[in-house]
């Protein structure tokens, strides 16, 4: 009979939460207290015309320590597949990455699963990553059913992807009202 043994120091951590739940701040706290340097993968692709989103990005930038290495508009599967530096890598967030992948494949009106190759590559990269990794992702399936097809598509795709990432991670947290709840 084989036994699964978790190391004393989790290598991969998934931090889930709703909008404005405090998930990013909690993930940043985990990264800041881990030993070694921090590499921050910002997955959003800013739209210069979207001033509200630009303001959200600015808040995140201002909150990060100056000594963190930041990769903007990063593709986490590609970055995680390259040789890993010492320290921690923080990905914030999978929701903006998924949106960009759906956009890139023009898949908003396509069947569910169209972005499966991208999700497969990400999950494989997370599972194989040898250093400390913290992943932030939105948990969107706890509210009303979205009125639009694109909203339902995103909710379904991120829900499935979050389940797969949780399986690949050593620990997972749900952040609600700024309070982290250990799930795994």
């Amino acid at each position: 009979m084989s036994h699964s043994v978790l190391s004393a120091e989790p290598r991969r951590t998934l931090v889930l939460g709703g909008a404005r739940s405090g998930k990013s701040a909690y993930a940043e706290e985990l990264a800041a207290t881990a030993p070694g340097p921090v590499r921050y993968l910002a997955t959003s692709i800013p739209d210069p015309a979207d001033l509200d989103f630009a303001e959200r990005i600015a808040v995140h930038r201002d909150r990060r320590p100056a000594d963190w290495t930041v990769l903007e508009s990063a593709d986490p599967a590609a970055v995680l597949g390259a040789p890993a530096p010492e320290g921690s890598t923080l990905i914030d967030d999978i929701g903006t990455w998924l949106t960009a992948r759906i956009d890139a494949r023009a898949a908003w009106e396509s069947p569910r699963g169209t972005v499966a190759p991208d999700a497969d590559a990400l999950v494989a990269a997370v599972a194989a990553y040898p250093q400390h990794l913290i992943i932030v992702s939105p948990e969107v399936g706890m509210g009303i059913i979205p009125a639009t097809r694109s909203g339902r598509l995103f909710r379904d795709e991120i829900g499935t992807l979050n389940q797969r990432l949780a399986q690949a991670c050593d620990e997972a947290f749900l952040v609600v009202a700024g309070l982290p709840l250990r799930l795994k």
Side-chain angles (χ1 to χ4, degrees), residues 6 9-18 21-28 30-31 76 80 89-95 97 122-123 126-127 129 131-140 157-176 179-184:
L6 291 179
E9 192 70 31
R11 267 198 354 230
R12 293 175 299 267
T13 301
L14 178 62
V15 179
L16 301 164
S21 64
K23 64 188 177 292
S24 292
Y26 180 68
E28 290 165 5
L30 291 175
L80 296 179
T89 295
L90 169 58
I91 303 171
D92 196 0
D93 90 4
I94 299 303
W97 171 81
L122 176 63
V123 172
V126 166
Y129 193 69
Q131 297 294 339
H132 186 233
L133 177 63
I134 302 161
I135 305 165
V136 177
S137 190
E139 182 57 54
V140 298
E157 293 287 356
I158 197 73
T160 300
L161 182 53
N162 283 345
Q163 289 181 52
R164 294 180 67 199
L165 289 171
Q167 287 294 315
C169 287
D170 303 305
E171 65 180 358
F173 293 89
L174 175 64
V175 180
V176 179
L179 303 172
L181 174 65
R182 180 184 290 277
L183 303 175
K184 172 182 177 182

Side-chain angles (χ1 to χ4, degrees), residues 28-98:
E28 290 165 5
E29 180 183 320
L30 291 175
T33 58
V38 176
R39 177 174 64 164
Y40 184 100
L41 306 183
T43 63
S44 65
I45 300 174
D47 174 357
D50 188 343
L51 299 178
D52 178 63
F53 195 59
E55 187 176 313
R56 288 173 183 249
I57 291 171
V59 167
H60 280 252
R61 281 184 183 140
D62 292 345
R63 194 171 59 207
R64 289 191 293 258
D67 64 339
W68 286 11
T69 301
V70 178
L71 301 176
E72 301 274 347
S73 304
D75 175 11
V79 172
L80 296 179
E86 292 296 318
S88 299
T89 295
L90 169 58
I91 303 171
D92 196 0
D93 90 4
I94 299 303
T96 55
W97 171 81
L98 179 61

